[in-house]
Amino acid sequence: MIWTELDTWIVLTGALTAMACAVPGVFLLLNKQSMLGDAISHAVLPGLAIGFLVSGSRDSFPMLLGAVLAGLFTAVVSGVIERRGRVETGASLGVVFCSLFALGLILIRIAADHVDLDPGCVLYGALELAVIDSAAVPRIVWQSTAILLLNLTLAAVFFKELQVAAFDPRFAKASGIPSGGIHHGLTVVTALTTVVAFESVGSILVIAMLIVPGASAMLLSRSVAGVLFWSLVVALASALAGHLLAISVAPEWLGWLTGRQDLGSLNSAGMMAASAGLIFFSLLAASHFARSISGRGRASVL
Amino acid sequence: MESFWRVLLLQDHNTRVVLAGACLFGAAAGLAGTFLLLRKRSLLGDTLGHATLPGITLAFLLAETFGFSSRSFLWLASGAALSGVAGMGAVLLIRKTSHLKDDAALAIVLSVFFGAGIAMLSAIQQLPGGQAAGLERLIYGNPASMTSSDAWFVLVASLLVAGVCGFLFKEFTLLCFDESYAQTAGWPVRLLDVLLMGLVVLVTIVGLQTVGILLVVALLVIPPAAARFWSDDLRVMALFAAGVGALSSMVGVVVSALLPGLPTGALIVLSAALFFGVSLLLGQKRGIIIRHLLERKAARRLVREHVLRAIFECAEEGRSVVSLEQVLAKRPWKKNEVVSEIAQLTDDGLLTTDPSALSFQFNGRGDSEARRLVRNHRLWEIYLLNHADVAPARVDRDADLIEHVLDQRLVDELEDLLDEKARERLVPGNPEKNLP
């Protein structure tokens, strides 16, 4: 294994992105809206594509705006279908995000004639390519740092409101906290984070970064602040482990399993998601084990 | 234009195969999705679809080791099925061993499995010879690549799904609407659940080639959700969902044959979305427009009953001619609502109105109509006060004549009670008894 400067940037970008995603992810989990993260990350696709079509370039404000609007559109329209059409939550989300995703695939196909844009790149990201940059510090590192700081600040400022809106929306309403506004705010932040993350990890693996660190942290701690802290740790660990596995261990295992010697290093973002899963399932096993020996209802691992 | 007719008249063998395969898949997905929707598990299809990727890529890599053709759909499909089942097992495991919610379990399995799949896919993409192209068609869906043998597989699988759904229709219905009753009545609920999930896995595998793993959920969710607006009868709904699924597959395939280059799977999903939009608005049972009309009708009837009751109560206080102010004072309502309703009642011949004095009185049928309403209302009040324990189960429709819901003895009893407890508010006699 040869570790280069590029590898450091890949791990750093992955870790920053995963940590930035973990913060809104914890609150999505607490609101029982995990699949909203899934829906938004699919639904931003047409927004991105329209942004591309309008502006004609890959990194620009219209693209960001389009994606955030598409994210909000998903949340609002599926809410309307749920209430006015009396369709169950999951199904109304499914209808909206599938349709938008399909629209996005078509638009990208159309946009591909004008802009250099590959659906694969949008879906699985290209962390390895994104860090190749002439600047001393790649642009994508600054981007993910900025979004991480933004999310941490917002979480700190609205900590009480987010908590109350998640655990007791009625009390929130009674005490004058606009839980609807908080939810929409969370949706916007999730969409924004998804868009920034999509460049490095792609729009589907974002879901892993949103939900898995928070879910793992919930097995470790029972306070919201604790969950937030541990989710950042898990995000960091899965980025590091993911890239290490992608360049050294996993290709050899896969080669041994399938009897091939010609496999190169794997997609780092994919392995980051997979190693987040490894961390989650190990913690799940540990917490189950801890519970069964302590005999208590809900022991945490620590 | 010429190509349009070629496609539409099914002149090419290939078009016929692709169209048949896609429609069969759409119908099977609509059928299985109906039960999934009613079980509130729609998004499980999404997780299943994404969870097939690691199986597909692993099967692809293994194929050459064992000397299979890596493009054999059946071989890749068995890999997909195995990893789909593993994904479902992981969802159940998370649900069982942690306090995380279902949606979190779905999101975790979806993204982690997909991540592992992407990682392996990247290894395949680096292999010489550009072999990964064969896998791309399973991710985005490309029904045009369907061969006759693939179409036979789709046919067999769809018939299997339809057969199982038809044979176990009653059991699945019970599972969807009253799982705990099914359990206590001794039905093998767990087995039925596993069977239903098995059907969903089968549909997902079939859908890989048509719409691809990213969008296979769409045909499990959208057609049943659209069908829900048209009927309350589950049999009708299931058939409708199957029809919408087949029809949107057909539209998608035809459009993509006319506009080559656009992804077929996405076009199929968009046409399903179109059907959903139309159903949402125009659906006969639950569509937005019909429900809005019904709500307005009900609101209108409520105002009419309130006006009649208010006039009757005024008349009860000893005035045969009632003024608008007196009616308005009876309850907090909007003046123009009352005025327009009084005009309507006058047109219907229930009131005679003196426009100059803004006053009115009952006219013929109006009195008995109001009497009937007030009598009903007061008897219900007494009934609800005295039999609050059983009342909610019997009060189906507030507008029903009390005699239609409760038996005569109970009504007599209530009338006695009313006499005893509230002598100041008499229940008018049943006007229908005096009619010839």
Side-chain angles (χ1 to χ4, degrees):
Chain A
M1 182 181 74
I2 309 144
W3 189 274
T4 64
E5 194 195 348
L6 228 47
D7 293 298
T8 315
W9 288 130
I10 289 176
V11 170
L12 194 62
T13 311
L16 287 168
T17 313
M19 285 156 82
C21 289
V23 178
V26 166
F27 292 102
L28 285 178
L29 269 167
L30 289 178
N31 288 339
K32 304 184 193 72
Q33 283 181 313
S34 309
M35 285 313 259
L36 181 68
D38 175 30
I40 289 179
S41 55
H42 281 80
V44 294
L45 203 59
L48 288 171
I50 292 173
F52 280 129
L53 281 173
V54 170
S55 69
S57 72
R58 276 193 60 155
D59 37 17
S60 58
F61 182 71
M63 190 192 82
L64 206 66
L65 189 70
V68 169
L69 285 180
L72 256 185
F73 181 83
T74 312
V76 171
V77 171
S78 64
V80 168
I81 291 181
E82 189 184 339
R83 278 190 310 277
R84 300 284 315 173
R86 299 192 195 162
V87 180
E88 172 249 331
T89 324
S92 48
L93 261 186
V95 170
V96 177
F97 85 74
C98 286
S99 314
L100 284 179
F101 189 69
L103 184 67
L105 282 180
I106 291 175
L107 287 176
I108 283 194
R109 193 71 206 78
I110 296 170
D113 296 339
H114 309 287
V115 195
D116 174 33
L117 185 64
D118 169 26
C121 224
V122 180
L123 294 178
Y124 338 126
L127 194 49
E128 293 82 354
L129 301 179
V131 293
I132 299 175
D133 199 325
S134 51
V137 177
R139 181 183 49 83
I140 197 159
V141 174
W142 291 119
Q143 269 181 11
S144 34
T145 311
I147 194 83
L148 171 63
L149 289 178
L150 175 75
N151 288 355
L152 283 176
T153 316
L154 285 174
V157 171
F158 295 108
F159 189 65
K160 193 185 70 189
E161 284 81 359
L162 281 164
Q163 230 174 333
V164 174
F167 286 112
D168 200 342
R170 283 194 195 160
F171 173 70
K173 205 171 178 186
S175 49
I177 294 169
S179 61
I182 292 279
H183 279 177
H184 283 317
L186 186 59
T187 308
V188 172
V189 170
T190 307
L192 202 65
T193 313
T194 307
V195 178
V196 174
F198 109 93
E199 197 173 347
S200 48
V201 294
S203 69
I204 293 175
L205 297 178
V206 162
I207 308 156
M209 304 206 152
L210 278 170
I211 302 302
V212 184
S216 311
M218 282 187 178
L219 302 170
L220 289 170
S221 170
R222 304 206 55 79
S223 76
V224 178
V227 168
L228 265 177
F229 170 75
W230 284 111
S231 72
L232 294 176
V233 174
V234 172
L236 187 71
S238 48
L240 185 62
H243 186 62
L244 279 175
L245 286 175
I247 58 172
S248 63
V249 184
E252 281 148 40
W253 283 1
L254 199 58
W256 173 80
L257 192 65
T258 58
R260 319 183 66 111
Q261 265 83 48
D262 51 353
L263 297 178
S265 56
L266 307 184
N267 178 305
S268 289
M271 278 318 287
M272 285 175 186
S275 43
L278 277 181
I279 294 175
F280 172 78
F281 281 107
S282 327
L283 286 174
L284 189 67
S287 82
H288 192 62
F289 186 61
R291 194 162 45 197
S292 65
I293 51 172
S294 73
R296 273 166 47 212
R298 280 179 170 186
S300 77
V301 182
L302 295 179
Chain B
M1 206 57 210
E2 196 185 327
S3 66
F4 178 76
W5 289 114
R6 267 188 85 78
V7 171
L8 216 59
L9 298 174
L10 304 176
Q11 283 176 344
D12 303 321
H13 173 69
N14 196 32
T15 318
R16 281 199 292 266
V17 167
V18 169
L19 208 55
C23 287
L24 280 170
F25 157 68
L31 210 53
T34 303
F35 295 107
L36 208 59
L37 178 83
L38 292 175
R39 246 172 116 43
K40 301 194 168 64
R41 295 235 178 113
S42 301
L43 291 180
L44 189 71
D46 197 26
T47 298
L48 264 178
H50 287 74
T52 54
L53 188 61
I56 296 174
T57 45
L58 202 58
F60 187 91
L61 281 171
L62 282 172
E64 293 192 3
T65 316
F66 291 118
F68 293 121
S69 158
S70 57
R71 282 167 193 263
S72 150
F73 178 65
L74 273 181
W75 169 250
L76 295 180
S78 20
L82 276 181
S83 89
V85 169
M88 205 153 64
V91 171
L92 293 177
L93 185 79
I94 296 174
R95 198 185 287 167
K96 228 178 136 120
T97 55
S98 77
H99 50 272
L100 290 167
K101 298 288 176 290
D102 273 11
D103 63 322
L106 290 178
I108 290 167
V109 172
L110 182 153
S111 56
V112 168
F113 273 63
F114 197 71
I118 292 298
M120 287 196 266
L121 184 66
S122 65
I124 296 174
Q125 279 164 339
Q126 293 162 14
L127 294 178
Q131 294 167 329
L135 290 184
E136 294 269 308
R137 77 189 157 104
L138 299 184
I139 295 178
Y140 302 107
N142 184 10
S145 68
M146 209 182 275
T147 61
S148 296
S149 66
D150 293 338
W152 279 112
F153 171 70
V154 176
L155 176 71
V156 171
S158 310
L159 284 180
L160 192 65
V161 171
V164 173
C165 283
F167 193 65
L168 294 176
F169 194 83
K170 195 177 69 187
E171 286 78 1
F172 281 161
T173 311
L174 192 58
L175 184 71
C176 291
F177 286 109
D178 203 341
E179 191 179 346
S180 47
Y181 170 74
Q183 197 137 33
T184 32
W187 294 93
V189 169
R190 182 66 61 81
L191 188 71
L192 285 172
D193 206 17
V194 169
L195 206 58
L196 183 57
M197 294 304 126
L199 289 186
V200 175
V201 173
L202 192 60
V203 168
T204 310
I205 304 304
V206 174
L208 291 181
Q209 211 163 19
T210 323
V211 287
I213 63 178
L214 298 173
L215 279 173
V216 73
V217 60
L219 281 178
L220 283 166
V221 175
I222 301 178
R228 191 78 190 87
F229 293 110
W230 292 96
S231 176
D232 283 336
D233 185 337
L234 187 55
R235 277 164 302 186
V236 179
M237 186 187 149
L239 287 179
F240 197 96
V244 170
L247 209 58
S248 27
S249 300
M250 197 170 90
V251 174
V253 168
V254 170
V255 171
S256 96
L258 298 177
L259 302 170
L262 294 185
T264 317
L267 286 172
I268 293 176
V269 173
L270 275 190
S271 37
L274 201 67
F275 282 116
F276 177 83
V278 171
S279 308
L280 175 70
L281 284 177
L282 302 179
Q284 233 170 358
K285 273 284 177 227
R286 296 172 150 228
I288 287 182
I289 291 178
I290 195 96
R291 272 229 321 278
H292 182 72
L293 289 178
L294 286 176
E295 273 164 24
R296 262 196 33 196
K297 210 172 142 192
R300 199 68 205 254
R301 204 188 66 197
L302 205 64
V303 172
R304 164 172 281 225
E305 290 183 356
H306 282 160
V307 169
L308 281 172
R309 270 173 49 205
I311 298 175
F312 187 85
E313 281 165 16
C314 290
E316 233 178 3
E317 288 157 14
R319 289 168 291 230
S320 64
V321 178
V322 183
S323 74
L324 186 60
E325 279 80 51
Q326 286 165 332
V327 173
L328 285 175
K330 280 287 173 195
R331 51 171 60 235
W333 45 17
K334 287 183 209 130
K335 187 177 172 185
N336 46 3
E337 213 173 56
V338 177
V339 171
S340 80
E341 191 53 48
I342 285 176
Q344 185 63 47
L345 283 167
T346 313
D347 284 352
D348 295 349
L350 272 70
L351 291 177
T352 27
T353 308
D354 177 5
S356 57
L358 278 179
S359 66
F360 32 84
Q361 57 186 355
F362 283 126
N363 177 19
R365 207 156 54 78
D367 188 51
S368 61
E369 181 67 17
R371 203 171 277 271
R372 185 183 69 79
L373 283 172
V374 173
R375 173 188 142 80
N376 230 14
H377 182 75
R378 289 191 188 157
L379 283 175
W380 273 128
E381 254 175 19
I382 292 289
Y383 174 66
L384 290 171
L385 280 174
N386 286 284
H387 301 275
D389 45 346
V390 291
R394 298 223 190 152
V395 184
D396 287 342
R397 283 173 287 173
D398 60 342
D400 261 328
L401 277 180
I402 197 159
E403 284 87 351
H404 290 177
V405 183
L406 303 180
D407 59 29
Q408 190 58 45
R409 222 184 58 209
L410 192 54
V411 175
D412 291 342
E413 205 176 291
L414 289 174
E415 282 176 339
D416 291 346
L417 267 175
L418 197 60
D419 273 351
E420 273 171 38
K421 288 193 175 173
R423 281 189 187 282
E424 73 277 12
R425 292 178 78 200
L426 284 173
V427 177
N430 186 348
E432 280 158 32
K433 270 187 187 157
N434 305 330
L435 294 175

